Amino acid sequence: MTGGNPARIKRLNEVLGESYFSYLQSLDDLCIFMDESHHYHADKSFDVINELRPILGVELTATPQIQKGAKKVDF
């Protein structure tokens, strides 16, 4: 969590068993495929993905740049 509210995936209110986030964290072979990955380049997104501790992360995008305010940054 980076200040403020926890990530949306962690705010799910589950009452039976462990949370979905905890389940994903417990997998020793978790791989994450991020379609349209230019949308995940925010600090909070990186923090949550890192907390899941995947063994592999594959980023896919057809967008060659991301928008940082008025500036376009090559991806």
Side-chain angles (χ1 to χ4, degrees):
M1 183 171 101
T2 55
N5 292 326
R8 191 173 15 203
I9 192 170
K10 293 181 177 181
R11 286 184 267 161
L12 295 173
N13 187 8
E14 299 160 1
V15 293
L16 296 174
E18 67 183 326
S19 74
Y20 184 58
F21 190 86
S22 295
Y23 168 74
L24 291 174
Q25 266 186 322
S26 72
L27 298 174
D28 60 357
D29 59 354
L30 179 66
C31 296
I32 297 178
F33 290 83
M34 296 168 277
D35 190 23
E36 298 297 332
S37 62
H38 58 277
H39 291 292
Y40 299 99
H41 284 257
D43 292 340
K44 197 169 204 176
S45 296
F46 278 135
D47 291 345
V48 171
I49 291 168
N50 285 334
E51 284 182 52
L52 287 172
R53 299 183 305 270
I55 62 169
L56 177 69
V58 178
E59 298 186 35
L60 306 167
T61 187
T63 305
Q65 60 209 9
I66 56 176
Q67 194 80 26
K68 295 252 183 185
K71 182 179 175 188
K72 291 185 178 184
V73 179
D74 289 339
F75 187 64

